[in-house]
Amino acid sequence: MVQKVKHNGQPCAKSARVLSELETLELRDRIDHLVTADERNPDSEGFALAAQYSVDAAPFFIVESPDGSSRLYTAYQRFLKEVLHQETSEDAEISEIMAQSPDLDFI
């Protein structure tokens, strides 16, 4: 998981919320590696991964398979559902998609 840390040293609100929820769901131990994209250090590992995967928002997840391939998840709800096999609500998924793409609108 790549989380973002703001200039003041605090995690961004969404990263903090996701980590808190993972703790509450007792899933935090399923995250093998926590990487930080630190606004105070543009050369941090998290920013390097964001550039490598062309991601512009945190948190995001990189899931590595035994065969060496990796899959990127920029949507937390999809990651919960597909990787951690947790039930998610359609409303939560839609909310996250809308937040990531404010130019979308419902018909």
Side-chain angles (χ1 to χ4, degrees), residues 39-58:
E39 286 185 341
R40 300 167 298 178
N41 178 9
D43 295 325
S44 63
E45 182 181 4
F47 278 120
L49 287 169
Q52 177 183 343
Y53 287 91
S54 301
V55 177
D56 60 4

Side-chain angles (χ1 to χ4, degrees), residues 66-80:
D67 67 5
S69 66
S70 60
R71 176 139 189 215
L72 176 71
Y73 288 87
T74 57
Y76 170 61
Q77 296 297 321
R78 178 171 282 166
F79 173 77
L80 269 181

Side-chain angles (χ1 to χ4, degrees), residues 7-64:
H7 285 290
N8 65 5
Q10 297 297 313
C12 75
K14 187 171 181 185
S15 292
R17 180 182 55 77
V18 165
L19 280 171
S20 176
E21 186 172 324
L22 288 169
E23 289 285 344
T24 300
L25 295 171
E26 298 181 354
L27 296 170
R28 172 59 182 87
D29 63 336
R30 303 266 317 265
I31 306 298
D32 294 330
H33 192 65
L34 183 61
V35 176
T36 301
D38 192 332
E39 286 185 341
R40 300 167 298 178
N41 178 9
D43 295 325
S44 63
E45 182 181 4
F47 278 120
L49 287 169
Q52 177 183 343
Y53 287 91
S54 301
V55 177
D56 60 4
F60 63 94
F61 302 86
I62 302 166
V63 178
E64 296 174 344

